[in-house]
Every structure is written in C-alpha cells, then in structure tokens.
C-alpha cells in the first residue's frame, strides 16, 4: 500500500482480516505467528496509523480497540488513484495496465464501466 511501511502494512492486514476492532495485544498475537515483535512496537505502529488516518480507535475500559477506516479494496483503489494522479500521461498508464489484465479482470472492468454513469 502506498504510504505504509512494511510493518504498518502487516498491521493493516491483521485489521482488515478482523471481524471486529482489535486491541494491541490481539494484533500482536496475530503478527507474532510469523515474527517476534514487542508489545510497544505494535502499540507505536497503531498509534502512527491512527495519526495518519488509517485507523480509528475506541477506548474500552482502559485499552483502545482499533479498526481500519476503509476496507482493503477501498485503500487499494485509493492507492491506484494516487498513482494515476501522479503521472502526466494517464492514458498511457491505463493502456499499459489494461494490457496486463486477465480475461476475468477484463470482464469485471467492462461490467463496471457499463454501470458507471457518465460525468457531464
């Protein structure tokens, strides 16, 4: 994801997979299945993600519960939008991208474009 470091992206993956907001300890437990991190490291990452607007937190008793502000799909789409907005030749970028999509992805794009209302 654009704008996220490796550990931030891993934390976001945990939050996106969760069915409910998570405490720091719960995020840590998930991450520690693959690596060994300190509680304070994960707490700092979650605080940074909150400051950056990626997560919201709700105080429950004496601990915060964190949840992602957007879905993974929405965040990915926003990243793609930022990439397109950063180049002068959007048409060329889009044409190169379209040349890499699978038939299934092409069908999805066609259906989406048919449903999209034209801007005036």
């Amino acid at each position: 994801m654009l704008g996220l470091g490796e550990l931030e992206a891993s934390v976001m993956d945990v939050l996106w997979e969760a069915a409910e907001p998570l405490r720091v300890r719960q995020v840590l437990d998930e991450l520690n299945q693959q690596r060994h991190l300190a509680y304070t490291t994960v707490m700092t990452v979650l605080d940074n993600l909150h400051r950056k607007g990626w997560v919201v937190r709700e105080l429950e008793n004496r601990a915060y519960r964190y949840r992602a502000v957007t879905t993974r799909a929405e965040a990915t789409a926003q990243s793609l939008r930022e990439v397109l907005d950063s180049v002068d030749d959007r048409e060329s970028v889009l044409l190169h991208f379209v040349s890499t999509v699978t038939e299934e992805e092409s069908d999805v794009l066609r259906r989406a474009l048919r449903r999209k209302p034209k801007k005036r």
Side-chain angles (χ1 to χ4, degrees):
M1 231 19 83
L2 289 179
L4 292 179
E6 181 184 340
L7 186 52
E8 289 175 326
S10 294
V11 168
M12 288 304 300
D13 285 339
V14 170
L15 293 175
W16 280 322
E17 293 297 321
E20 61 188 16
L22 301 177
R23 291 187 180 96
V24 174
R25 174 62 62 193
Q26 294 169 296
V27 175
L28 176 67
D29 290 345
E30 282 297 315
L31 292 171
N32 278 347
Q33 293 180 23
Q34 303 295 327
R35 57 177 102 182
H36 183 70
L37 297 168
Y39 181 92
T40 54
T41 300
V42 176
M43 184 174 62
T44 299
V45 170
L46 282 163
D47 189 54
N48 290 341
L49 289 169
H50 177 258
R51 187 176 34 79
K52 291 179 177 182
W54 283 87
V55 301
V56 292
R57 62 187 180 193
E58 304 152 3
L59 191 60
E60 183 180 279
N61 299 326
R62 296 184 326 179
Y64 283 113
R65 286 184 167 270
Y66 294 86
R67 69 174 171 79
V69 170
T70 62
T71 66
R72 183 191 315 265
E74 290 167 334
T76 302
Q78 181 59 38
S79 292
L80 292 172
R81 178 79 261 155
E82 289 171 17
V83 168
L84 279 177
D85 289 346
S86 72
V87 296
D88 292 329
D89 189 2
R90 291 181 187 166
E91 180 178 352
S92 181
V93 172
L94 286 169
L95 290 174
H96 283 290
F97 173 74
V98 167
S99 72
T100 69
V101 301
T102 65
E103 274 303 313
E104 183 180 335
E105 292 164 338
S106 182
D107 291 342
V108 169
L109 287 170
R110 279 191 197 92
R111 285 193 304 271
L113 288 170
R114 278 195 290 274
R115 287 192 309 262
K116 185 179 184 325
K118 295 197 186 264
K119 291 185 178 181
R120 295 178 193 239

